[in-house]
């Protein structure tokens, strides 16, 4: 980290930044870990030979049941919680289930310890920033890197293998403090992010094996932390069946069905009067019954205690223990089940077999991870060590992820990119201009190192620095005069403003969308004083109402950087000076401040209700004024799209049992139930030529939306696919978007039933192309 202080001396290339990052960590790769942590099924221990659960030739389900059968009830109960006890008589070590890897291996949970051979890990951009890349291969690649580093730290005895990430809740309300952790407001985007990140983390091991075990959280309809006296521990989310099926559950279903995630976490809140961790319809019925989870269900930390102590859902703690385990909860993050499960069994509320059913799910995941296969170094990934954490390649990927996630929101007169020839001195101003921890957001670990915006810009030009405000709260304007002087004497000015974890965070929702304190005043005064172009860079997880900037021509360009990770300052500078071209798109709508007065954060409805003056939520259902829309993002070049091939008519095959003339007209008028069709493999291939018509190389993020036939169930349009392609100036590339007919072109009725409307669907391809597809039912031989 100390080496990055000389970053202003560098003039060219981001590879050098990564090499500077690596100096201290490369040294750590030669450190020998002398004391190997003890492990289960150690072949050097005599007891191992008599334990069937240590026999790797046996099927995992046989081994898991053998292990559970050897445990006493007291031992079983102490394995129901995150800090599971050791069982020395069976050679089983204690295990801490709680580790986090939202955008890098994190020490937020107690399962990860930095220090010694592992002083830190690669800290990627916060999820909302990475989501703005709309790049599925990038998300999976980040997952692979994070799991490499997690396995390396596990091999060194400083981490576990169960990571409670990703957060795939929908960013429903712009005030939510944890929106930064999510992939944004769109369910298809969130689902695709979830599937790719989970696959990256868990690997493609043979025979149901896992590299690490991911966990999709927080199920379900959880997106309020602490807003004007309402907190997540007491909130009852009233959600329609339609919104649950159409939006809130979509990424979780994708996690389980497509991503084969090893765990799902239930949330603090109630849904329609029932705590999620005590709802058998959600846990046993949906996650395990309908979606067939191959893994375990864990509570958010202290959720079981919360439903008893705070929500008073049960009269006794024993009833709380019983109802959660019987509903399908397998693991309690917290001590509650360790304390009260025995009492529940003694009172006849729970049986030992119920406990066994929970343990079979957790133990099976541990065995899939190889935790009962003996010597870790002899297993897959056993060769990973300190050299594989904070490696140059991993840090380069963190930089690339930041490049891809930064969004260009405004560029008047093509003021960006700046020129190293014309802009030799740059004033760098603002409370986020030289920050470190702000760039990594929440649920982060200890980064390999930092490059701040000031340091990054110093690679390209001489810098003059003024914070202007001592913090993002910007409580006074005492130092604004110094900032104005700096801007007046520089060839260009970069203002780095926005938010941090003191404004938006877990347990801290926002009350407004404006910039805090006197930030607006600082921006306008500096822009007025600036001798050259003024560039505004915003760091934030949520949207900000900056309508005042859009009416100020002296602010030439605006970049949203989210929370761009350990290399964020280098990425921002590379975009500003044109070493990289921006290609990110906003994964959430930026609303005006006035929107908030019409939408209480406690109202979970997505669809607008004009009769009540309720405007709706997200781009799918809200049609009022915005600062910037979902999917918005500019480039330094221009692109055009041409449809090469796409279906114009689609016949949806019905199951034979539903080819009845008596129900035919009803089905066609309402739309066909997806469950009545044979369209699981019905993909519509749309081939598009993307051309870079501009003067410079650039990255095109192609978004494809669908508009169904007019009806009361669907929004005006819905994202159905996206593709990212980098093109040199003047070049063209053909891309294919696969649209799943049942999944992406269906709508959900008021009863939560997914249907495919018959008639004309319209695909919106980029900003300049539309394509119509007519849907009809393939009735085959109609029964009389």
């Amino acid at each position: 980290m100390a080496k990055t202080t000389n970053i202003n001396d560098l003039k060219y290339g981001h590879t050098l930044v990564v090499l500077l990052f690596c100096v201290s960590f490369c040294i750590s790769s030669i450190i020998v870990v002398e004391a190997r942590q003890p492990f289960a099924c150690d072949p050097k221990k005599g007891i191992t030979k008599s334990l069937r659960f240590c026999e790797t030739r046996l099927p995992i389900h046989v081994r898991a049941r053998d292990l559970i059968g050897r445990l006493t009830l007291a031992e079983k109960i102490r394995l129901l919680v995150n800090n599971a006890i050791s069982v020395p008589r069976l050679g089983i070590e204690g295990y801490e289930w709680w580790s986090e890897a939202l955008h890098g291996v994190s020490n937020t949970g107690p399962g990860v310890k930095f220090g010694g051979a592992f002083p830190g890990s690669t800290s990627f951009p916060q999820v909302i920033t990475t989501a703005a890349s709309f790049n599925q291969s990038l998300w999976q690649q980040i997952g692979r890197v994070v799991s490499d580093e997690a396995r390396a730290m596990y091999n060194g005895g400083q981490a576990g293998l169960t990571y409670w990430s990703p957060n795939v809740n929908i960013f429903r309300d712009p005030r939510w403090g944890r929106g930064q952790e999510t992939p944004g407001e769109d369910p298809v985007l969130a689902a695709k992010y979830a599937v790719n990140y989970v696959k990256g983390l868990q690997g493609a091991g043979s025979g149901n094996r896992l590299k690490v075990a991911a966990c999709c959280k927080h199920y379900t309809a959880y997106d309020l932390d602490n807003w004007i006296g309402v907190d997540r521990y007491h909130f009852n989310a009233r959600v329609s069946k339609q919104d649950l099926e159409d939006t809130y559950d979509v990424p979780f279903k994708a996690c389980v069905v497509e991503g084969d995630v090893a765990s799902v976490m239930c949330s603090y809140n109630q849904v329609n009067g029932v705590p999620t961790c005590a709802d058998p319809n959600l846990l046993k019925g949906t996650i395990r019954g309908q979606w067939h989870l191959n893994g375990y269900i864990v509570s958010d930390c202290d959720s079981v205690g919360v439903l008893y102590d705070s929500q008073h859902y049960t009269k006794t703690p024993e009833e709380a223990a019983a109802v959660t385990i019987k509903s399908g909860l397998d693991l309690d993050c917290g001590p509650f089940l360790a304390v009260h499960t025995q009492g529940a069994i003694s009172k006849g509320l729970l049986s030992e077999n119920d406990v066994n059913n929970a343990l079979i799910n957790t133990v099976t995941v541990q065995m899939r991870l190889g935790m009962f296969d003996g010597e870790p170094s002899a297993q897959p990934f056993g060769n990973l060590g300190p050299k594989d954490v904070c490696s140059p390649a991993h840090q380069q990927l963190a930089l690339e992820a930041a490049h891809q996630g930064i969004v260009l929101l405004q560029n008047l007169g093509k003021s960006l990119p700046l020129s190293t020839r014309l802009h030799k001195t740059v004033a760098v101003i603002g409370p986020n201009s030289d920050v470190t921890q702000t760039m990594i957001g929440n649920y982060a670990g200890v980064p390999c190192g930092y490059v701040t915006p000031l340091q990054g810009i110093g690679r390209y030009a001489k810098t003059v620095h003024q914070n202007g405000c001592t913090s993002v709260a910007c409580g006074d304007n005492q130092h604004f005069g110094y900032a104005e002087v700096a801007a007046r004497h520089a060839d260009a000015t970069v203002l780095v403003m926005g938010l941090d974890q003191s404004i938006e965070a877990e347990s801290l929702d926002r009350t407004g969308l404006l910039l805090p304190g006197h930030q607006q005043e600082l921006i306008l005064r500096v822009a007025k004083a600036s001798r050259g172009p003024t560039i505004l860079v915003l760091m934030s997880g949520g949207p900000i109402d900056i309508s005042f900037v859009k009416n100020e021509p002296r602010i030439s360009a605006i970049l949203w950087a989210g929370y761009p990770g350990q290399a964020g300052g280098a990425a921002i500078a590379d975009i500003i000076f044109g070493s990289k071209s921006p290609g990110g798109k906003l994964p959430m709508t930026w609303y005006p401040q006035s929107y908030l007065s019409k939408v209480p954060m406690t109202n979970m409805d997505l669809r607008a209700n004009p009769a009540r003056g309720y405007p709706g939520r997200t781009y799918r259902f809200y049609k009022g004024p915005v600062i910037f829309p979902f999917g918005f993002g500019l480039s330094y070049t221009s692109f055009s799209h041409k449809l090469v091939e796409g279906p114009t008519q689609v016949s949806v095959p019905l199951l034979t049992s539903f080819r009845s003339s008596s129900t035919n007209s009803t089905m066609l008028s309402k739309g066909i139930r997806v469950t009545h069709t044979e369209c699981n493999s019905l993909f519509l291939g749309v081939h598009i030529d993307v051309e870079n018509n501009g003067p410079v190389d650039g990255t095109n993020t192609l978004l494809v939306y669908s508009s169904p036939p007019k009806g009361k169930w669907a929004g005006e349009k819905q994202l159905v696919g996206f593709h990212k392609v980098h093109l040199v100036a003047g070049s063209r590339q053909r891309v294919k978007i696969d649209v799943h007919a049942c999944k992406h072109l269906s709508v959900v009725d008021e009863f939560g039933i997914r249907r495919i409307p018959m008639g004309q669907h319209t695909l919106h391809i980029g900003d300049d192309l539309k394509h119509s597809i007519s849907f009809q039912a393939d009735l085959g031989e109609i029964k009389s």
Side-chain angles (χ1 to χ4, degrees):
M1 287 173 57
K3 292 293 183 182
T4 62
T5 57
N6 295 324
I7 203 72
N8 286 339
D9 297 333
L10 297 179
K11 296 298 178 185
Y12 306 105
H14 14 268
T15 304
L16 290 176
V17 176
V18 173
L19 290 175
L20 287 177
F21 268 168
C22 192
V23 171
S24 62
F25 285 84
C26 291
I27 294 172
S28 72
S29 68
I30 64 173
I31 297 173
V32 177
V33 182
E34 296 180 358
R36 168 67 224 177
Q37 293 288 319
F39 52 89
C41 300
D42 187 341
K44 295 179 181 179
K45 294 182 179 179
I47 190 175
T48 296
K49 293 181 181 179
S50 65
L51 300 174
R52 292 193 78 208
F53 65 79
C54 292
E55 297 181 26
T56 56
R57 62 181 178 81
L58 295 175
I60 283 179
H61 73 274
V62 173
R63 298 170 64 197
R65 293 203 175 276
D66 177 75
L67 189 157
I68 293 168
R70 296 172 185 269
L71 299 170
T72 66
L73 177 58
E75 289 167 341
K76 292 175 182 178
I77 289 171
R78 283 295 284 112
L79 297 179
L80 291 173
V81 291
N82 62 288
N83 56 339
I85 61 163
S86 63
V87 186
R89 63 185 183 84
L90 298 178
I92 299 173
E93 302 300 321
Y95 180 68
E96 177 54 68
W97 285 85
W98 179 8
S99 295
E100 303 281 356
L102 184 70
H103 51 109
V105 178
S106 167
N107 57 350
T108 302
V112 171
K113 299 287 189 290
F114 288 115
F118 301 97
S121 63
T122 307
S123 190
F124 290 91
Q126 181 60 286
V127 176
I128 194 70
T129 310
T130 308
S133 72
F134 284 82
N135 188 339
Q136 298 181 67
S137 62
L138 173 67
W139 302 333
Q140 193 164 150
Q141 192 176 3
I142 290 173
R144 284 195 295 269
V145 165
V146 173
S147 59
D148 276 352
E149 299 197 352
R151 267 284 176 174
M153 291 185 68
Y154 170 76
N155 293 340
Q158 291 182 222
L161 291 177
T162 48
Y163 289 85
W164 294 346
S165 304
N167 179 343
V168 297
N169 292 117
I170 297 297
F171 197 171
R172 168 189 64 98
D173 190 290
R175 292 162 287 200
W176 189 28
R178 300 188 73 177
Q180 60 182 290
E181 302 173 29
T182 76
E185 71 181 39
D186 181 80
V188 170
L189 172 61
K192 289 182 180 292
Y193 177 87
V195 169
N196 283 280
Y197 191 62
V198 165
K199 286 184 174 180
L201 284 176
Q202 295 191 164
S206 60
N208 204 24
R209 292 295 178 136
L210 295 166
K211 186 179 180 185
V212 303
C215 173
C216 289
K217 63 184 186 183
H218 312 79
Y219 182 73
T220 182
Y222 167 66
D223 49 17
L224 178 152
D225 267 61
N226 193 346
W227 178 75
I228 313 182
V230 181
D231 66 44
R232 57 186 177 171
Y233 308 117
H234 299 86
F235 180 51
N236 177 22
R238 299 192 179 277
V239 186
S240 69
K241 291 181 179 179
Q242 186 177 40
D243 285 340
L244 204 61
E245 168 68 26
D246 192 34
T247 301
Y248 295 114
D249 279 2
V250 170
F252 291 97
K253 183 177 181 179
C255 267
V256 176
V257 176
E258 299 174 53
D260 195 23
V261 74
S263 177
V264 174
M265 177 183 286
C266 52
S267 55
Y268 290 114
N269 57 290
Q270 296 184 355
V271 172
N272 299 326
V274 182
T276 62
C277 294
D279 191 334
N281 293 322
L282 293 179
L283 305 189
K284 276 188 175 178
T286 302
I287 298 176
R288 204 170 289 286
Q290 294 179 26
W291 300 343
H292 307 295
L293 172 70
N294 181 20
Y296 69 99
I297 299 174
V298 60
S299 73
D300 204 341
C301 294
D302 295 318
S303 285
V304 184
V306 164
L307 70 88
Y308 169 69
D309 292 319
S310 300
Q311 299 175 4
H312 308 296
Y313 185 70
T314 63
K315 293 181 180 180
T316 68
E318 293 79 14
E319 289 173 336
V323 71
T324 51
I325 293 175
K326 283 192 165 185
S327 295
L329 186 70
D330 302 311
L331 186 70
D332 177 19
C333 178
F336 197 92
L337 292 186
V339 175
H340 298 292
T341 299
Q342 177 64 67
I345 293 174
S346 298
K347 292 183 177 181
L349 302 173
L350 198 65
S351 70
E352 184 171 355
N353 191 55
D354 293 322
V355 175
N356 292 344
N357 290 338
L359 290 179
I360 198 73
N361 294 320
T362 54
V363 170
T364 296
V365 167
Q366 288 181 310
M367 289 186 171
R368 292 170 63 196
L369 288 162
M371 293 173 65
F372 292 90
D373 290 354
E375 174 58 53
S377 64
Q379 298 178 36
F381 316 110
N383 62 325
L384 295 173
K387 71 181 187 307
D388 301 296
V389 180
C390 287
S391 68
H394 291 183
Q395 296 190 62
Q396 187 67 34
L397 184 63
L399 176 62
E400 178 58 28
H403 287 146
Q404 293 195 29
I406 292 173
V407 182
L408 178 63
L409 297 175
Q410 178 173 292
N411 195 18
L412 300 178
K414 297 184 178 179
S415 53
L416 285 182
L418 297 183
S419 164
T420 54
R421 181 175 59 85
L422 300 176
H423 306 106
K424 296 181 179 180
T425 301
V426 177
V428 185
I429 296 168
N432 282 336
S433 59
D434 197 29
V435 292
T436 53
Q437 285 189 315
T438 296
M439 296 195 299
I440 60 176
N442 68 354
Y443 279 81
V446 178
C448 314
Y450 292 103
V451 176
T452 72
L454 176 64
Q455 292 170 331
I457 292 168
R459 294 167 47 213
Y460 291 93
K462 180 181 178 182
T463 58
V464 181
H465 179 231
Q466 289 291 330
N467 283 324
C469 307
T470 56
S471 70
V472 295
C474 204
D476 60 62
N477 60 7
Q478 293 181 15
H479 303 289
F480 288 10
Y482 298 112
E484 290 173 295
V485 170
R488 198 172 289 124
H489 291 87
D491 300 318
T493 298
V494 177
L495 281 154
V496 192
M497 313 295 286
L499 313 178
D500 64 15
Q501 301 304 302
S502 70
I503 304 296
E504 53 177 0
E506 184 170 12
S507 299
L508 180 61
D509 297 324
R510 295 158 68 192
T511 56
L513 301 181
L514 301 177
L515 284 167
H518 292 268
Q519 283 198 41
Q520 177 174 330
E521 179 189 350
L522 176 61
I523 292 169
L524 292 176
R525 284 176 58 173
V526 167
K528 184 177 181 180
S530 181
R531 188 177 74 190
T534 301
I535 315 303
L536 175 62
V537 178
L538 294 169
M539 287 191 195
S540 72
I544 304 172
D545 181 346
I546 53 167
S547 49
F548 74 95
V549 174
K550 298 179 72 174
N551 299 320
E552 176 47 75
R554 282 171 289 200
I555 298 174
S556 311
I558 307 170
L559 291 169
W560 176 71
Y563 294 125
Q566 64 176 45
I572 289 168
D574 290 340
I575 296 289
I576 287 175
F577 280 91
S579 294
K580 292 288 181 177
S581 179
K585 302 283 188 181
L586 290 178
M588 72 295 202
T589 302
W590 284 37
Y591 303 91
Q593 171 74 9
S594 58
Y595 171 78
L596 301 185
S597 63
K598 305 169 186 175
V599 284
M601 201 168 173
T602 49
N603 191 324
M604 302 294 291
D605 292 346
L606 291 160
R607 287 159 173 79
N609 188 332
R612 291 192 291 112
Y614 183 73
R617 295 182 181 276
T618 77
Y619 78 94
R620 296 161 67 213
F621 304 108
Y622 169 71
K623 301 308 169 192
V626 299
I627 307 302
F628 295 106
F630 172 91
F632 181 79
L634 303 174
S635 174
Y636 292 159
T637 187
S638 59
F639 299 93
S640 62
H641 308 103
K642 179 182 178 181
L643 180 68
V644 178
E645 181 183 346
T648 56
Q649 287 191 333
V650 174
S651 293
V652 180
L654 294 184
L655 294 170
T656 304
S657 55
F658 294 101
R659 295 175 182 172
S660 169
S661 57
S662 61
T663 59
N664 181 30
S665 60
T666 303
M667 286 193 301
L668 293 181
S669 62
K670 289 188 174 182
I672 302 172
R673 288 192 185 200
V674 168
T675 55
H676 293 178
T677 71
E678 294 178 323
C679 67
N680 284 335
S681 59
L682 185 57
F683 285 89
L684 313 180
V686 181
H687 300 259
I688 303 149
D689 278 349
V690 182
E691 185 171 358
N692 181 348
N693 301 313
V696 297
D697 301 351
T699 300
N700 180 237
T701 304
L702 176 63
L703 306 184
V704 178
Y705 299 87
S706 170
S707 295
K710 293 295 183 182
K712 60 183 177 181
W713 296 323
E716 185 174 309
K717 66 177 184 178
Q718 162 69 55
L719 184 71
V720 296
F722 47 88
H723 189 91
K724 201 173 190 78
V725 56
H726 185 80
L727 294 170
V728 299
S731 69
R732 180 172 57 192
Q733 184 173 325
R734 184 161 300 174
V735 301
K736 182 186 179 187
I737 302 286
D738 284 320
V739 179
H740 192 288
C742 283
K743 189 190 308 179
H744 296 142
L745 300 181
S746 58
V747 298
V748 178
D749 69 18
E750 63 269 33
F751 303 106
I753 298 171
R754 192 168 285 277
R755 298 176 179 273
I756 302 178
M758 298 297 100
Q760 182 171 293
H761 295 244
T762 302
L763 294 184
H764 305 262
I765 303 167
D767 298 323
D768 54 358
L769 197 61
K770 291 184 179 181
H771 176 63
S772 296
I773 305 174
S774 179
F775 274 66
Q776 62 185 25
D778 182 0
L779 301 176
E781 184 178 346
I782 299 177
K783 294 181 179 180
S784 59

